[in-house]
Structure formats: C-alpha cells, structure tokens
Amino acid sequence: IDLALARLAEQKLAAQNAGGSSPLSSRSWDALRQACRAAKESLLGAEPPESTTLHLPGSGSRLIASGRQVELCREEVDLCVVDGFFPRCALGDRPDNQQTGFQEFGLPFARDPAITKHLAAFLWAHRWDGRDEPNAVDSTVGSATDSTATLQTSPAEIAAARPDWLLFNGGVMTSPQLRERLESTIAAWFAGVSDVAADWRAGVLDAERLDLAVARGAAY
C-alpha cells in the first residue's frame, strides 16, 4: 500500500515539474515511501484531514532549496487504497493471475492486490473445513485462472462459507474506512442468503494494538 501511494505521489511530482524533473534517487524514493506511510495513517485515520503535504528533502549544498513537496488528498488515497486494495466484489470473484507492476521490486507480492478477492477465494475454499456435513459437495467456481466466476451452487453451500466472527490484525486495519469496507463487503456476500437476515453482519472480536498483534503472538 505504501508503494502504491509512493508511485501516485511520484507521478504527481513528475506532473508538477514536467520537462524539468529528474528521476528520484534511491534516497528520495525511500523518503517518499516513508512519507506516504505517514500520509496513509493520517488520511485513513478516525478523523482524517482533507489533504496532507509530503516533503522530500534535497541534497548537497542546496539542501533546503532543492527540496520538493507534493500534496495527497483524502479522495486520492481512498481511490488508491480503499478501492484499489479492498474493492467491492462478489463472492465468486477471484484474484487475477496477471503480472502486476509491484513485481519489479523483487518482493513476493500477490499478483492481484485486491485483498477482498483473496478473502472470497479463501472463505470458499475452506467452507466445509471442520464440519461433518453429509450434504457437502465439491462445487466449482470456474477455472483457477478466472478472475470472475459464477457460483454454481446452492444457498446452503454459500451459507457454509459465511464467517461468524472477524478478527482484524495488522496496523493497517486500525483504519475505520478499511474495516468498514471489509465488513460491508462480507455482509453483501451472505446477507439475505438462505435463512440469513437481510441486515446480517459478522461479529467483530475485540483486539488491542493491531500493530503489535503478530509480535505478541510470536512472543507468546
């Protein structure tokens, strides 16, 4: 997410200095990425401002004069992060297997950044896990390469994939906007199906310090 915001900010910097800009140095790029992390936490926080300004330090003898700045708006961050990484999708949607630009960083990022699609695939793949259900069938959702497929199954099959509780984890999930997007997307998959109420939502478990949850678990 920080890399995506940094790319967005880099593009805005290039547009501001069309014709006279030079590629960011590794030092400037790292500073921009760190600034985008702070901007993400601010603009996706509980009381987000309308915008925030990112400052990139200059270098050499003209340290101050050569510095650059770029503004990120809350609407831009919502479009990039909320819709880009947590898009609304159907339970039958699947991650795209096409290569993404993030692979150029040499890191093991998923090919499709749409977290909600990965969640849909996970819930469906494990819908009968831990259940002794004689009516369970091996329904297919389409080929593994399909990014969108139709669930050829019964309401009981869909209900089996429904989670009762959500446990948010990781610092990024402290954002009310991201939690709400996940809760509402999951609710849209199951509300009104079979005997589930039309206003159903999964319960949310209490958690302290989402940014420390993994570290605490490892220590335990």
Side-chain angles (χ1 to χ4, degrees):
I1 291 176
D2 297 342
L3 290 172
L5 287 175
R7 280 299 195 206
L8 172 63
E10 184 183 41
Q11 292 169 358
K12 296 190 70 174
L13 276 171
Q16 291 175 4
N17 303 289
S21 61
S22 57
L24 292 178
S25 65
S26 58
R27 176 176 178 271
S28 295
W29 169 257
D30 187 59
L32 179 61
R33 183 176 59 82
Q34 295 294 338
C36 283
R37 178 183 180 182
K40 172 195 67 182
E41 295 171 354
S42 173
L43 294 173
L44 291 176
E47 297 180 357
E50 288 300 320
S51 65
T52 188
T53 301
L54 313 182
H55 298 275
L56 291 183
S59 59
S61 59
R62 300 177 65 249
L63 181 62
I64 302 300
S66 62
R68 288 185 276 182
Q69 63 182 35
V70 61
E71 184 180 64
L72 283 183
C73 302
R74 184 171 63 183
E75 184 178 354
E76 292 174 323
V77 174
D78 284 347
L79 183 63
C80 178
V81 178
V82 182
D83 292 333
F85 288 84
F86 299 85
R88 298 190 186 279
C89 65
L91 183 59
D93 287 349
R94 293 295 175 263
D96 193 340
N97 282 324
Q98 297 297 317
Q99 194 83 355
T100 67
F102 290 117
Q103 301 298 321
E104 70 186 68
F105 292 97
L107 298 174
F109 291 116
R111 291 178 180 270
D112 191 332
I115 293 172
T116 42
K117 291 183 181 180
H118 291 280
L119 179 58
F122 176 85
L123 290 176
W124 187 257
H126 298 282
R127 65 195 182 282
W128 294 114
D129 287 2
R131 302 172 188 259
D132 184 15
E133 176 54 64
N135 298 320
V137 295
D138 185 18
S139 299
T140 59
V141 189
S143 68
T145 57
D146 290 342
S147 60
T148 303
T150 302
L151 291 177
Q152 304 293 338
T153 186
S154 66
E157 283 279 292
I158 296 177
R162 178 173 58 89
D164 296 312
W165 296 91
L166 304 178
L167 175 61
F168 291 114
N169 187 30
V172 71
M173 297 315 302
T174 58
S175 166
Q177 295 94 316
L178 297 185
R179 293 198 304 270
E180 169 58 27
R181 172 57 62 89
L182 277 177
E183 289 181 52
S184 61
T185 298
I186 294 172
W189 294 342
F190 303 104
V193 176
S194 189
D195 59 348
V196 178
D199 60 350
W200 172 87
R201 277 202 173 200
V204 178
L205 297 172
D206 292 333
E208 296 181 1
R209 291 299 302 271
L210 301 184
D211 55 325
L212 294 180
V214 173
R216 285 178 170 174
Y220 179 82

